[in-house]
Amino acid sequence: TRDEFAAFVSATGHGIQETDKCYAATLLTTSDFKEGEGRGWRAPGYAQDGRHPVTCISWDQAKAYTAWLSARTGFTYRLLTEAEWEYAARAGSATRHSFGDAERDVCQHGNGADATAKIVYEMKNGTFAACDDRWVHTARVGSFRPNAFGLHDTHGNVQEWVEDCYADTYSDAPADGTARVTTGRCRSRVYRGGSWDDGPRNVRSAVRVGHPPGEHYSVLGFRIARSSLPTP
């Protein structure tokens, strides 16, 4: 969340500058992202409070956060691998979404581009869910129904960085659930999950994208995993 990331910044000074450049969506459901001077995790271009997911975070910043939190708590925190992320997001399902295939149910389970967003942005084109999730931009973490594993926000809200290097297919991906870090195009890292800016098709469990690890987007944050036992 923003509050949790703010604690990291306060303790370390990492990313404290307010003039980070963050690519912000200028219109929903378009690929028209523009780099905005002064945009950053404190000012992604829309209103948030401390319980919203932090956005405009690069893969490098997410890794720095997990290293700091590990040192501070004695537990090992890290980004999920891509295989772990999809296993957790699907929660035993084999459907388009963890809750089934019906797009009319999307708004109960996640925050995407919906009927309210279409009205607010006066968009005539693009793909919107035919339902209302009550949020135009990010929603507070945990605002929607959890999946069968008890996890929230695996569909929409913000896209989430994972550990893996990006590749177009899974042809040479590890078979044991570990991250792909020796093959693929490591100049890009994978992110998953869709965001508030995406229609139902792009908040499916299978959707995956890659971007350079130093880039920041107003639709992109991260999720972390923690070991069950303190580090020896």
Side-chain angles (χ1 to χ4, degrees):
T1 64
R2 277 176 58 110
D3 277 351
E4 289 166 330
F5 194 78
F8 160 65
V9 173
S10 177
T12 65
H14 184 98
I16 200 167
Q17 63 271 20
E18 296 295 331
T19 57
D20 283 345
K21 293 181 178 180
C22 177
Y23 288 92
T26 56
L27 289 174
L28 263 67
T29 68
T30 76
S31 58
D32 185 17
F33 281 81
K34 294 185 178 180
E35 191 176 36
E37 190 76 43
R39 296 291 189 207
W41 68 272
R42 292 189 192 274
Y46 47 82
Q48 290 185 306
D49 63 32
R51 290 294 303 157
H52 283 240
V54 68
T55 66
C56 288
I57 299 298
S58 69
W59 185 88
D60 295 328
Q61 286 179 308
K63 292 283 287 184
Y65 176 85
T66 61
W68 168 78
L69 193 60
S70 297
R72 181 171 180 262
T73 64
F75 288 88
T76 298
Y77 286 87
R78 59 178 176 81
L79 296 179
L80 281 70
T81 71
E82 185 173 10
E84 289 172 334
W85 190 96
E86 186 157 336
Y87 178 83
R90 286 190 178 279
S93 69
T95 48
R96 290 164 58 86
H97 308 93
S98 65
F99 51 85
D101 291 319
E103 292 185 355
R104 65 178 178 275
D105 296 331
V106 167
C107 294
Q108 300 176 50
H109 298 269
N111 175 22
D114 65 338
T116 296
K118 184 175 183 178
I119 293 170
V120 169
Y121 279 84
E122 299 180 343
M123 293 285 288
K124 294 181 173 60
N125 299 315
T127 302
F128 296 85
C131 54
D132 184 1
D133 62 32
R134 308 185 314 280
W135 301 90
V136 176
H137 301 107
T138 56
R140 295 185 184 96
V141 169
S143 294
F144 298 88
R145 291 183 182 178
N147 67 17
F149 286 173
L151 298 172
H152 296 268
D153 303 316
T154 56
H155 297 296
N157 217 13
V158 295
Q159 296 162 330
E160 298 172 353
W161 288 112
V162 296
E163 183 71 25
D164 297 57
C165 301
Y166 181 80
D168 292 332
T169 72
Y170 294 123
S171 60
D172 58 353
D176 60 359
T178 58
R180 185 200 323 243
V181 293
T182 59
T183 61
R185 301 196 301 270
C186 289
R187 63 180 180 273
S188 292
R189 296 284 176 163
V190 178
Y191 58 88
R192 302 292 302 262
S195 77
W196 55 266
D197 186 58
D198 289 311
R201 185 183 186 282
N202 287 332
V203 297
R204 292 177 296 120
S205 300
V207 170
R208 55 193 299 274
V209 189
H211 268 303
E215 288 190 353
H216 308 70
Y217 286 84
S218 64
V219 295
L220 182 53
F222 63 104
R223 182 187 299 259
I224 59 177
R226 193 192 79 174
S227 63
S228 58
L229 296 173
T231 303

